[in-house]
Amino acid sequence: MVRSFQVVAHRGCRSLYPENTLEGFRKAISLGVDAVEFDVHPTRDGKLVITHDDTLERCSNGTGMVRDHTLAELKALDFGLWKGEKFRGTQIPTLEELLDLLLAESAPELQILIELKENDLHCADQVLEEIRRRKIRERTIVLSGYANLLKYVHDQEPDLRVQGFPMEDYKIKEPDIYNLTMRVCLFRRRLTRENVEFFHSLNMEVDTVPVNSAEDLDLVLPFDLDTITTDAPDVIMPLLKERGLRPPRVPRTTLAWRLYGAGLDRFGDEDAPVELPLPPLKPDEILTRVDALGLCFSDIKIIRAGGSHPKLRNRDLAREPLIVGHEAVLTIVKTGSAVPIQYAPGQRFLIQCDIYVNGRSCAYGYVMDGGLTQYSIIDSRVWKGETGSYLLPCPDNLSSLAAALLEPWTCVRAASHISHRTAPADGGSLLLVTEPGCKKLYRAGELFRNRKRIVAVNFSAAACRALEEELGTAVTAQNELPSGETFDDIVCVDLQDKALGEPAIALAGDHAVVTFFGNCGSADWAVDVGALHYKNRFYQGVPEGTLDAAYPLPRRQTLRKGGAVWFPGGAGAMGQMHVELAVLSPDRPSKILVTDLDPARLDHLRAKLAKPAEERGVTLEFLNPAAMTAAAFEQELNRFAPDGFDDIVILISSANAVDQAIPHLADNGLINVFAGIPAGETAEIPVNRVIHDGIRFTGSSGSSTQDMLDALHAAERHEFEPQSALAAVAGLRAAKEGLKAVAAGRYPGKIVVLPDCLDLPLTPFEPARLPRELAATLDAQGRYTIATERYLKNKWGKA
């Protein structure tokens, strides 16, 4: 990953002006440096002046020590003539004069580095007082070759940043100085990979000095530096800009699409993004530029549901509007003071949006503001996380658009290895329900030991005592279902009455496992299949044994190798990814059926995958249910898979699709509810088949960070090309039109927004119809490339 450089102007602009003079600093500011560095010495009469040496001979027409002269005596000397006749008469500036200039003529973002050149506590106190008086603590860094002075400054002002040197370079050392310093300056002679890595491991930024020429820049580029200090900003600034090594500019505002309620009519401000101010960063915050954002049907679900969406938890969007968008690629622009140095400006990251805090979702684009904006502020919930960072470094060989498409590809890839518990929740709650009047005694099994709470409904007193003796845990006996609580594990034990069973399994909590045990009758039960997707529930069954016997049974997560698979709704954007992965997988099924109501999307997918399927010996067929009677469609399903489908992947957001699929599921078959069926929607599940035929149901609403890392590395190695799913691109102002297209299923693939290309219209990505110049940037297979992205940003990007 290419790291951009912050630039420190060393003593102003020494290449063109006398060092440490007002005109030299004025020039450095005009060249756009990020920081200026200067040296402070005390005078005999207690004033502070700006000069590097402790003697006068090199940079003035005076002699002797600086501290032995009064300010008036120093002002009478010429501090410019040594640099050239045109600088004759230049005076030494005071600290007050220089700060006056910096605060009047620079942007608030310019950092001020003040070096204490003498081991003088009174001088340090004077500098600190000036910083306090002018309220410039946040933009000031104090540095010194005296570690004791830096420690003193830190003790006086713990929030003021201090910069130092390697221990061997200090004139006076302090053993714990590395714990206090935010940055270390390595002179070029000490610049090694080992030294840089060492100080980065201590969470310290690394600077080097001097970098004054193209040759110097070439020498330091291999090192993972955070800042470079230069005597020649007039040379280095143009070089860095030319090579793309400057951090993104820090904006004051951002254009953003906001959601104010349920429905597309509540999305946007008069059908447009609104300009919002960007507030000052808090210590743990990062300002990022959104480079690319994939539009997803999940965004449509949020817009349609508004605050009632399960992840929004009844948020009042009129009072607290939301910026949607979660498939984002972000480049760091600026960081708060508490952000670790690995998140340096200029670095590009993919965000894993499924973010949790204390086990509760605060997903990017759902709970926290997302990426349908030019600039996005994230905080430690993202870069720190409960178990690690949700920011994944983006490889340089992937375009931002391709990286933005990794999130949906990751979800598709992850759908084939969704994990469910193979044991009851550790220390969790257990609900056992049987028929009223049941007199049977049951063995619970070892796995049900150590439950936090066990509730047994309709079990006899003898059955409850037997369970207590076996498990060593109190059992709460009830004749009615509990109310106001949920359970981690539920077992329906010889429960044939669906009128009791359906409300019982509705008490399952997030990530719950429901077991059907013994004889649960022949009726179909209404089961919340939306909870498969959003709450990661799992349903299992076993005909006999102990009540925990279903947990260790073998479970298949992937498509059955050599089996038959059906993708209802499989020609949509996400469906096409599923079908493509199935065709290309080394463990692929032998027969694939794709059904969809959109003939254009079916034709697109057929053209894309018919040849790869044929080359791999896969029978790939396409059906449009709308083009035939319901009876004919059923006939076609039975013809294609007379023994039923081993796998059915539901890509339609309707419980009716599950109802239609179940009769065609083979024994030991798996239904994967990938589409986001609304929580609470039920399908009629044949519980008897769950128990005796081994059919299973699974689903997921996302992916883990490890899933995304795996997909990222696979894309980096070109094991698959995420941009193959691209159907259209759009600029930020066309994002609402893009979302309408997603809702209508207008395109046979994904739409990606490039926020930097504000006025890029919604453009179908059909290589044969693209302008010649744009088509010339595609690869041999007609796919989007880094060159394509460069072309679009050059043509449509902000000036």
Side-chain angles (χ1 to χ4, degrees):
M1 180 178 292
V2 176
R3 181 188 285 266
S4 60
F5 292 111
Q6 298 268 338
V7 178
V8 180
H10 188 224
R11 308 181 210 170
C13 186
R14 294 179 70 202
S15 54
L16 300 178
Y17 290 84
E19 66 182 60
N20 277 322
T21 59
L22 296 181
E23 285 305 313
F25 288 109
R26 182 174 282 120
K27 180 62 177 179
I29 293 169
S30 72
L31 290 167
V33 298
D34 304 290
V36 293
E37 184 271 350
F38 52 85
D39 313 285
V40 175
H41 282 276
T43 66
R44 194 176 75 207
D45 50 351
K47 305 299 182 183
L48 299 179
V49 291
I50 309 304
T51 187
H52 177 270
D53 299 357
D54 55 4
T55 59
L56 295 168
E57 283 79 1
R58 183 175 65 86
C59 292
S60 80
N61 57 352
T63 60
M65 304 291 291
V66 174
R67 66 180 303 118
D68 291 339
H69 292 71
T70 65
L71 176 60
E73 290 170 342
L74 294 171
K75 283 289 189 180
L77 299 176
D78 191 322
F79 276 79
L81 186 58
W82 69 273
K83 187 69 173 177
E85 182 63 33
K86 64 180 178 179
F87 299 112
R88 180 186 289 274
T90 300
Q91 290 187 321
I92 189 172
T94 64
L95 177 61
E96 287 192 6
E97 290 169 341
L98 179 52
L99 290 178
D100 285 344
L101 179 143
L102 295 177
L103 299 184
E105 300 187 18
S106 71
E109 292 79 23
L110 183 81
Q111 298 290 291
I112 301 170
L113 279 65
I114 305 175
E115 180 165 2
L116 304 175
K117 296 300 291 186
E118 298 193 30
N119 186 23
D120 186 324
L121 291 181
H122 179 64
C123 175
D125 283 331
Q126 288 178 282
V127 169
L128 291 175
E129 183 54 37
E130 196 67 24
I131 293 169
R132 295 186 194 107
R133 184 175 72 83
R134 295 175 181 264
K135 299 179 180 178
I136 55 172
R137 185 184 292 107
E138 290 187 356
R139 62 186 294 191
T140 302
I141 300 170
V142 173
L143 57 154
S144 181
Y146 296 92
N148 59 309
L149 274 188
L150 295 181
K151 194 168 184 179
Y152 176 79
V153 167
H154 178 77
D155 289 343
Q156 300 302 307
E157 288 287 345
D159 293 333
L160 183 62
R161 293 168 294 167
V162 295
Q163 174 176 322
F165 299 91
M167 191 68 74
E168 55 268 29
D169 289 341
Y170 282 111
K171 298 170 184 174
I172 295 180
K173 298 172 174 55
E174 293 285 348
D176 60 346
I177 192 60
Y178 289 164
N179 297 332
L180 312 178
T181 46
M182 53 78 64
R183 183 188 296 152
V184 63
C185 179
L186 292 177
F187 294 107
R188 287 248 309 276
R189 66 179 183 276
R190 296 195 186 280
L191 196 56
T192 65
R193 290 185 189 278
E194 292 73 21
N195 281 342
V196 173
E197 289 173 1
F198 170 74
F199 287 109
H200 277 168
S201 73
L202 300 179
N203 201 31
M204 295 167 65
E205 294 180 9
V206 179
D207 172 81
T208 194
V209 63
V211 181
N212 294 335
S213 65
E215 292 75 19
D216 290 348
L217 186 58
D218 289 337
L219 287 173
V220 304
L221 275 180
F223 300 97
D224 194 18
L225 298 170
D226 303 282
T227 63
I228 56 175
T229 296
T230 181
D231 301 313
D234 59 309
V235 174
I236 293 302
M237 293 301 291
L239 279 173
L240 292 176
K241 291 174 183 176
E242 178 184 313
R243 299 187 187 189
L245 298 174
R246 287 291 292 142
R249 68 177 184 85
V250 179
R252 303 290 179 85
T253 63
T254 184
L255 287 175
W257 286 93
R258 298 204 292 183
L259 180 64
Y260 295 93
L264 270 168
D265 60 323
R266 304 295 305 279
F267 180 70
D269 292 69
E270 298 183 355
D271 280 339
V274 63
E275 186 172 16
L276 301 173
L278 287 169
L281 292 181
K282 297 174 183 176
D284 74 327
E285 289 182 333
I286 300 175
L287 174 64
T288 68
R289 183 187 67 217
V290 182
D291 293 326
L293 180 86
L295 299 183
C296 178
F297 202 82
S298 294
D299 301 323
I300 299 299
K301 294 175 192 172
I302 295 173
I303 291 169
R304 287 175 175 171
S308 66
H309 188 282
K311 289 191 176 182
L312 268 61
R313 301 190 283 268
N314 296 311
R315 174 169 168 172
D316 182 356
L317 291 169
R319 184 179 58 84
E320 190 184 357
L322 172 71
I323 299 173
V324 301
H326 59 280
E327 298 175 1
V329 175
L330 310 172
T331 290
I332 292 178
V333 175
K334 187 179 180 181
T335 60
S337 59
V339 177
I341 53 91
Q342 69 252 41
Y343 303 110
Q347 295 192 86
R348 195 170 53 135
F349 291 91
L350 181 64
I351 186 168
Q352 212 285 45
C353 67
D354 286 330
I355 297 159
Y356 285 85
V357 174
N358 298 323
R360 193 173 176 86
S361 173
C362 58
Y364 182 77
Y366 292 83
V367 178
M368 64 175 71
D369 279 339
L372 207 48
T373 177
Q374 291 172 295
Y375 297 93
S376 177
I377 294 176
I378 55 178
D379 57 32
S380 56
R381 292 175 295 177
V382 178
W383 58 258
K384 189 175 183 181
E386 288 189 321
T387 57
S389 177
Y390 292 95
L391 293 176
L392 310 180
C394 190
D396 293 332
N397 67 342
L398 287 183
S399 67
S400 292
L401 179 142
L405 290 173
L406 272 169
E407 197 277 343
W409 276 104
T410 300
C411 291
V412 171
R413 290 164 59 94
S416 65
H417 50 87
I418 300 167
S419 61
H420 298 285
R421 286 189 280 108
T422 56
D426 188 28
S429 55
L430 170 65
L431 174 64
L432 305 172
V433 186
T434 190
E435 294 278 336
C438 177
K439 302 299 183 183
K440 289 184 180 179
L441 302 184
Y442 295 93
R443 295 282 298 173
E446 286 294 316
L447 295 179
F448 279 133
R449 288 186 177 277
N450 303 316
R451 300 300 91 205
K452 175 180 66 178
R453 172 167 161 76
I454 300 176
V455 176
V457 178
N458 295 328
F459 282 72
S460 67
C464 289
R465 283 196 302 272
L467 290 172
E468 288 180 333
E469 289 174 6
E470 178 190 359
L471 299 177
T473 302
V475 174
T476 302
Q478 297 183 190
N479 294 323
E480 295 183 350
L481 292 175
S483 62
E485 65 178 311
T486 59
F487 291 83
D488 300 301
D489 294 273
I490 297 175
V491 185
C492 297
V493 184
D494 290 324
L495 179 59
Q496 300 182 44
D497 182 4
K498 63 181 288 184
L500 175 61
E502 289 173 353
I505 64 177
L507 298 176
D510 292 357
H511 310 288
V513 173
V514 175
T515 303
F516 302 106
F517 178 90
N519 181 9
C520 289
S522 58
D524 294 344
W525 290 21
V527 172
D528 183 352
V529 288
L532 288 167
H533 182 88
Y534 286 112
K535 298 188 177 181
N536 197 227
R537 287 183 190 164
F538 186 65
Y539 299 92
Q540 61 186 10
V542 67
E544 58 188 3
T546 55
L547 299 184
D548 64 358
Y551 286 93
L553 293 177
R555 299 175 183 179
R556 181 169 56 83
Q557 300 171 338
T558 59
L559 301 181
R560 188 182 297 281
K561 184 177 182 179
V565 58
W566 175 21
F567 294 100
M574 302 297 283
Q576 293 198 34
M577 297 182 197
H578 274 281
V579 178
E580 183 174 337
L581 282 180
V583 169
L584 301 181
S585 170
D587 297 322
R588 53 188 164 271
S590 63
K591 301 177 72 176
I592 298 174
L593 178 65
V594 181
T595 60
D596 201 280
L597 299 177
D598 190 319
R601 296 196 305 192
L602 285 170
D603 289 343
H604 174 86
L605 190 56
R606 182 184 290 108
K608 182 178 180 181
L609 292 178
K611 184 176 179 181
E614 182 181 0
E615 292 171 346
R616 290 162 174 79
V618 175
T619 300
L620 176 62
E621 294 188 14
F622 303 86
L623 287 177
N624 182 350
M628 60 187 73
T629 65
F633 181 61
E634 288 292 312
Q635 206 169 31
E636 285 296 311
L637 293 175
N638 291 327
R639 174 195 63 77
F640 189 87
D643 297 323
F645 291 92
D646 300 291
D647 295 275
I648 302 176
V649 181
I650 304 295
L651 294 150
I652 303 169
S653 299
S654 168
N656 291 335
V658 181
D659 285 327
Q660 186 181 40
I662 288 172
H664 297 280
L665 188 63
D667 291 352
N668 298 307
L670 178 66
I671 286 184
N672 188 324
V673 181
F674 183 85
I677 296 173
E681 282 199 15
T682 60
E684 296 295 315
I685 303 298
V687 171
N688 191 52
R689 290 200 67 198
V690 175
I691 296 172
H692 294 284
D693 297 340
I695 68 169
R696 295 290 184 262
F697 300 82
T698 189
S700 172
S701 63
S703 57
S704 69
T705 302
Q706 187 58 51
D707 291 331
M708 187 166 281
L709 272 172
D710 292 342
L712 193 64
H713 294 325
E716 184 179 14
R717 296 189 297 266
H718 297 290
E719 293 176 9
F720 76 104
E721 302 294 338
Q723 66 273 28
S724 67
L726 178 66
V729 293
L732 187 65
R733 290 197 172 100
K736 187 167 186 176
E737 186 183 351
L739 285 164
K740 289 178 179 178
V742 171
R746 191 185 309 164
Y747 295 111
K750 293 286 291 184
I751 299 172
V752 177
V753 172
L754 302 175
D756 196 47
C757 301
L758 283 177
D759 296 307
L760 171 64
L762 180 61
T763 304
F765 205 80
E766 301 173 10
R769 299 184 181 182
L770 293 176
R772 184 185 305 169
E773 298 85 354
L774 180 55
T777 67
L778 308 181
D779 68 13
Q781 286 73 42
R783 293 184 297 236
Y784 186 104
T785 66
I786 291 173
T788 309
E789 192 153 283
R790 190 180 304 119
Y791 174 90
L792 289 173
K793 293 197 173 187
N794 286 341
K795 182 174 176 62
W796 295 98
K798 303 188 304 295

